[in-house]
Amino acid sequence: MVILLVAWPSAWAQPIDWPVPPERTVWLAAAHESFGDGQTAAKPIDASTAVKLGQALDRLAKEHDFYGDGLVLQFLPGEYETHGIRLRPRWHMTGGGIGRTTIKLVPSARDRKIKSAYHSVISGGWGPQRLAKRDFNNIRIADVSLDCNWRGMKKVLGPILKKVAGVDLLVRQALVERVQVSRFGAVGGRPSWREVFPIRVGSGMGDGAELPCYRDSIIEIRHCIVEDFVRGPSTGTEWPYCTGIMVSHRGADVANGTINVRVHHNEIRNVTNGIALGGAYLQRAEFYENTVSNCGIGFNFDTGSNRGVVIRNNRFVACIGGGSVNDGKAFVIRDNTFRLIAPGAPRFDWWHNGLRIRDYTRGILVEGNRFVFDGESKSSARGILLQGKNVGIRTFQDEAGDWQSEIDPNRFRDNHYSGLLPNLAGPQSPGQSMHLIVGDRAVHLSGESDNAKFTWLDD
């Protein structure tokens, strides 16, 4: 067995070079003295009702042959209603600013007829396509507040409705900035009905569906706000929850494609029954300088063997848990502040640690973080809980088809703790190896009686 040396992912020094906006701008208004063809702000298109807005967007899509050069949808300040806005490739959608342009999702007669379970205020790209000219690229959403209106949608659609969200895009290239999302919800119950994504942007999903998996993945989400609790049932064991900002790029080509995924300077607040940040199938992504306050847990990565993820310089304040990583490789969790509070209900107890790093994780660096528990009484919370099977080891088949293994330990150094129980590491069951490095000390555990657990407080 040999120790595997890992090159840690580094932050990007340069901003993403976004394309020039489309040449044509179309103005829309919820109320105006003189409506017109939308060519100027003085003569905006009449979008005073959800029906009129939908008709205008359908007409614009046809005029541009659905896959044309794109346009800018400029919403003037006001309060709008929509049955759901479906963006086309190279469409930009901008408003007058958070709190000044508000778009509320409302049900339609068609929704009752087709019985769709999932709805979002803005979506795009969710459909099979195989032609490059139809790529959903150069998408931008900016300067709007989105009201998902869970209770209003549920009142009309009843058991048909399972989830409502704000932004839901499957694209090769998208920028979402200065967007506020609130009043999202989910019905709970079976797994696919439990988790809602207020802002979700991905370049590939897969899962057996005929959906695009773009080789390139250029995604940036910045200066957005996701707020308030996940609406839906609050009782039962399969209660709804969310991942506030979610990114994914299944199928992206890290060797030959362009991958640049960033989530930064966002605020996720008061999502008391949800997760703030997350990713699926990531190969390279960065989450930095976000502020998460009064939420269930700061981040969670447990879908698709995420790797190459940098989580740095974020503030997690008054959260039950800091973060969780399962089946993650080559993460860097650096220079974050985690201030924990005690869970208010037993169902949130599992979240209550600074970091939980578990099964099939390796090559993770946890460095320079600050973990603080603000509880008045002693809790079971640990700064770091490292647990599970196949932790800190890489198994692979060589050219001859024989199975080999390399030590690729998770590393912990220069972190600071206050008010928490000592950190704890241990395999899931006896006989399973676990490898970690604390400061300069290499630790190897097998779960046997003589080395079943390892605790530490100061790195």
Side-chain angles (χ1 to χ4, degrees), residues 175-207:
L175 170 63
V176 180
E177 59 180 338
R178 296 183 300 279
V179 173
Q180 179 187 45
V181 181
S182 61
R183 300 212 296 171
F184 40 88
V187 74
R190 65 179 62 176
S192 61
W193 297 350
R194 292 189 66 193
E195 186 177 13
V196 64
F197 307 101
I199 298 178
R200 177 169 66 169
V201 183
S203 63
M205 289 298 292
D207 297 329

Side-chain angles (χ1 to χ4, degrees), residues 232-251:
S234 59
T235 59
T237 58
E238 304 299 330
W239 40 272
Y241 65 99
C242 79
T243 297
I245 297 179
M246 176 77 170
V247 290
S248 63
H249 55 229
R250 185 174 191 173

Side-chain angles (χ1 to χ4, degrees), residues 135 171-172 203-204 212-218 249-260 283:
D135 285 355
V171 296
R172 184 169 66 87
S203 63
C213 287
Y214 294 106
R215 184 190 71 172
D216 301 324
S217 184
I218 305 172
H249 55 229
R250 185 174 191 173
D253 189 341
V254 70
N256 303 304
T258 300
I259 299 180
N260 201 337
Q283 300 178 67

Side-chain angles (χ1 to χ4, degrees), residues 23-47 60 72-77 80:
E23 293 184 1
R24 183 182 178 187
T25 297
V26 177
W27 298 81
L28 304 98
H32 204 268
E33 295 178 355
S34 179
F35 291 112
D37 59 7
Q39 299 305 304
T40 65
K43 293 286 186 178
I45 290 174
D46 183 355
L60 290 169
V72 178
L73 300 171
Q74 180 66 58
F75 286 77
L76 290 169
Y80 299 78

Side-chain angles (χ1 to χ4, degrees), residues 239 343-351:
W239 40 272
R347 63 178 178 170
F348 301 125
D349 288 350
W350 191 89
W351 283 343

Side-chain angles (χ1 to χ4, degrees), residues 366-385:
V366 181
E367 178 181 44
N369 301 283
R370 185 166 181 255
F371 300 90
V372 178
F373 177 49
D374 289 335
E376 295 181 358
S377 60
K378 186 176 181 180
S379 166
S380 61
R382 298 183 181 273
I384 297 170
L385 181 59

